[in-house]
Amino acid sequence: MNLSDKEFIKRAYSSVPMYVELTGDLDINLDNITEIKELPTITKEEVVKQDSIIAADSIPLLYGNKLIVKKTSGSTGKYMDVFWKNKDYVKSMLPLWLMRKRMYNISPDDRMCFFYTMMEMGKEQDTYMNKSQLGFSKSRLDDENLHRVYKKMKEFEPKWLLLQPSIGALLCEYMDKYNEKAIESIEYIEMSGEILSESVRAEVERHFRCNVVNQYGANEFNSIAYECPNGNMHIMESNVIVEVLKDGKGVEDGTEGEVYISTRTNSAMPLIRYRIGDIGKICTGKCDCGCEWKMFELTSGRVSDYILCADGSRVTSYTLVRAIESVNYIYENVIRQFRIIQKNIEEFHIILVVDEDDLDMCDVIERVFKESIMETRLAGVDYTFEYKTRLIPNDENGKFAYFKRLVG
Ligand SMILES: [Zn+2]
C-alpha cells in the first residue's frame, strides 16, 4: 500500500461512522496497517442499511445539496445513493477519458448517443440533449420508437455510442428487420452496465463496423476496468483497488473469485473493500499496449433479460425498472430492493423490499408503479405484489437476478 492509499484509508477510517465503529469493534490500529487486506470487507447490504458511510467533513455538503448524487444501477435490484464531491468525481473519470483519447481518439466534446433508464427522475422525457450528447429513454423501445431513435441518431451524427449490451443487441435486431445500414459517423461503441458476451460483441461489430470496446464500471466507483486495443481489460488503478477473494481470503492472480473494490478517489463516501457482487479474476501476464495497469476479467456479472409479450415480441426489462425508479423518485427511495418475475405471458410477480414503517404505502407504490409503465404492451397485464422487509439473498451462483422470466 502506497503512502497516498494509506492516508486516504486513514482519513476514511477516522471520519466515516461505519468505519469508526468497525475500528473499535475489531481493535484496528490505523498506524500499523501496511496492506489493505488487513481491513474488514463490507457488503452492499451493510451499507444500504445505514447512512453512516458519509465522511464527517462531507455531512454539511450533503445537507447543503453540494454533493453529486448517483443512484446505483437499479438493474442490480438493490438501491443505494452514492455521493461524490465534484472534484473527486472529475478525478475518478479522468483515467477513463485519458484512455478513450489515447487508445481510440475519443474526447469529451465528441458527439455521442446513450440510453438511460431515467434522466430527470419523475419527468416523462423521451430524449435528453446537450451540445455533444443525445440520450434516449429505455422505457419504450418498441419498433415505432426505435424507428424514431434511429432517425434522430442518424441526424445527430454521433462519433460514438455508449450502450448496454442488451440495447446493442436490440439495435442490431431492429437494423436487420428494417434493413437499416450502419450510421457512417459512428467510429466507436463502448459497452457498459452488463456483461458483454462474445456473440453480442460480434453482432454489434458486424452491424456497426467499428471498434466495440468493453468497460466495467459501477456508480459506486465509476470506471473500474477498460478494454485496450489488444482486448485486455486494464484495471483503472488510479481510481480503484481491485481484489479477488474466495471465502474471505485473497486468491492468487489468475484465480476466479468474488470481486471487492476500494475507491481511491471518493472521499465523501469512501467504499473500501466493498463486495460489488460480481465474479472475476485478476489476470496474470503482461499486455504490450503500453498500459502498465493490471488486467482483469469479469466472468459473471449483471445480465439483462427480455420480457416476452403476447404477440411474441420482446421488451427490455429496463421498462419495468424505470417504473420502480419513478416510485423511488417520488417517495425518496422507499423501495430498497426489487425482483421482477414474469410468471406467464401476461402475469408478473413483483417482490419489493421496503422498511417496516413503509408497509402502509403499498397502495400508492402500486398505483405509481402502474402509472409509470410507458410501454403499452405491458400496461394491461396482471401485476401481483409481494412485500418483504428484509433484503432478498443472492442466488446460488452468488449473483442476484433482478429479473426472472419463467415463460418462453
Ligand atoms: Zn493492454
Side-chain angles (χ1 to χ4, degrees):
M1 208 161 58
N2 63 36
L3 197 65
S4 68
D5 284 342
K6 208 171 166 165
E7 274 168 23
F8 185 88
I9 284 168
K10 215 171 150 176
R11 207 171 330 121
Y13 260 72
S14 50
S15 67
V16 169
M18 181 173 159
Y19 294 140
V20 171
E21 201 172 300
L22 279 173
T23 312
D25 287 352
L26 302 171
D27 204 15
I28 297 167
N29 183 343
L30 291 171
D31 291 317
N32 296 342
I33 299 284
T34 56
E35 288 188 81
I36 196 161
K37 65 178 186 199
E38 294 163 29
L39 295 166
T41 57
I42 58 171
T43 64
K44 196 165 192 168
E45 285 80 358
E46 286 165 339
V47 177
V48 288
K49 263 187 235 161
Q50 43 199 324
D51 315 329
S52 57
I53 189 81
I54 309 286
D57 67 341
S58 294
I59 296 286
L61 298 172
L62 173 68
Y63 290 111
N65 293 324
K66 297 250 166 56
L67 293 175
I68 296 175
V69 195
K70 291 277 162 183
K71 310 246 168 224
T72 46
S73 162
S75 59
T76 59
K78 279 176 210 150
Y79 282 100
M80 182 173 80
D81 283 345
V82 182
F83 296 95
W84 290 83
K85 285 181 189 164
N86 193 50
K87 70 169 175 45
D88 290 347
Y89 193 85
V90 171
K91 195 176 155 199
S92 78
M93 289 300 288
L94 201 64
L96 178 60
W97 280 114
L98 290 173
M99 284 168 100
R100 280 174 178 157
K101 179 69 188 169
R102 185 165 68 81
M103 294 171 172
Y104 305 101
N105 196 28
I106 297 294
S107 314
D109 51 4
D110 286 328
R111 282 164 176 267
M112 64 92 84
C113 291
F114 65 102
F115 289 78
Y116 57 85
T117 318
M118 268 203 125
M119 199 72 215
E120 210 170 328
M121 304 264 230
K123 281 193 184 165
E124 307 304 349
Q125 265 181 321
D126 277 358
T127 51
Y128 162 87
M129 193 168 164
N130 69 21
K131 213 170 99 224
S132 60
Q133 298 180 321
L134 175 62
F136 301 101
S137 165
K138 280 186 245 176
S139 61
R140 244 188 330 167
L141 292 175
D142 51 19
D143 283 4
E144 193 189 325
N145 259 294
L146 277 170
H147 191 68
R148 187 184 57 87
V149 164
Y150 208 80
K151 191 163 168 272
K152 282 200 169 175
M153 270 196 335
K154 257 195 270 188
E155 288 163 5
F156 189 69
E157 298 188 321
K159 186 174 177 182
W160 67 289
L161 307 179
L162 181 60
L163 301 177
Q164 287 77 25
S166 59
I167 301 288
L170 202 68
L171 285 175
C172 292
E173 212 177 72
Y174 168 81
M175 288 163 82
D176 283 344
K177 200 166 164 187
Y178 294 96
N179 215 2
E180 285 279 8
K181 291 192 180 61
I183 296 171
E184 293 282 330
S185 61
I186 299 170
E187 294 174 18
Y188 163 96
I189 297 177
E190 190 172 305
M191 295 289 197
S192 191
E194 297 157 8
I195 206 152
L196 174 62
S197 69
E198 282 313 308
S199 62
V200 169
R201 182 202 290 270
E203 273 298 283
V204 174
E205 269 172 355
R206 190 169 67 81
H207 283 77
F208 286 89
R209 285 178 268 128
C210 69
N211 279 316
V212 174
V213 174
N214 198 4
Q215 197 241 124
Y216 172 45
N219 278 341
E220 290 98 315
F221 302 97
N222 281 338
S223 190
I224 298 166
Y226 184 65
E227 185 180 358
C228 74
N230 287 348
N232 293 315
M233 301 282 291
H234 289 276
I235 295 170
M236 298 286 189
E237 289 186 8
S238 68
N239 185 40
V240 289
I241 299 169
V242 175
E243 294 175 89
V244 175
L245 275 68
K246 221 174 186 170
D247 304 322
K249 284 204 179 78
V251 298
E252 279 177 35
D253 289 356
T255 307
E256 194 182 85
E258 293 253 24
V259 182
Y260 287 74
I261 318 268
S262 303
T263 179
R264 277 181 158 138
T265 49
N266 189 342
S267 61
M269 185 167 160
L271 296 170
I272 292 163
R273 306 201 82 206
Y274 172 84
R275 194 175 78 187
I276 190 108
D278 291 323
I279 311 285
K281 62 182 174 195
I282 295 172
C283 309
T284 54
K286 260 185 119 50
C287 181
D288 64 8
C289 72
C291 180
E292 294 291 314
W293 288 338
K294 277 196 172 185
M295 296 174 291
F296 173 82
E297 195 185 318
L298 188 66
T299 48
S300 156
R302 281 158 272 171
V303 280
S304 168
D305 204 349
Y306 293 97
I307 292 167
L308 200 60
C309 300
D311 61 0
S313 61
R314 306 191 299 181
V315 172
T316 159
S317 53
Y318 289 119
T319 310
L320 295 182
V321 174
R322 187 195 173 281
I324 287 179
E325 293 189 356
S326 293
V327 176
N328 265 354
Y329 176 73
I330 297 167
Y331 298 107
E332 291 187 358
N333 287 349
V334 61
I335 298 167
R336 292 172 56 204
Q337 187 187 18
F338 67 92
R339 173 171 269 169
I340 299 164
I341 303 162
Q342 183 175 18
K343 291 173 82 175
N344 230 316
I345 287 292
E346 300 206 314
E347 216 181 305
F348 291 82
H349 187 62
I350 318 266
I351 303 171
L352 300 174
V353 178
V354 299
D355 280 336
E356 212 162 320
D357 301 345
D358 294 326
L359 282 171
D360 58 352
M361 290 182 63
C362 299
D363 288 352
V364 288
I365 289 173
E366 289 165 28
R367 182 174 53 77
V368 173
F369 174 83
K370 286 178 188 165
E371 282 171 5
S372 305
I373 298 168
M374 309 283 288
E375 169 60 60
T376 45
R377 282 170 287 178
L378 297 177
V381 307
D382 280 340
Y383 294 100
T384 53
F385 294 87
E386 178 185 342
Y387 292 86
K388 288 181 188 286
T389 53
R390 299 182 72 130
L391 291 169
I392 309 163
N394 285 349
D395 299 330
E396 278 164 20
N397 59 7
K399 292 295 301 175
F400 179 87
Y402 72 90
F403 175 73
K404 287 188 171 186
R405 178 160 47 78
L406 308 180
V407 285

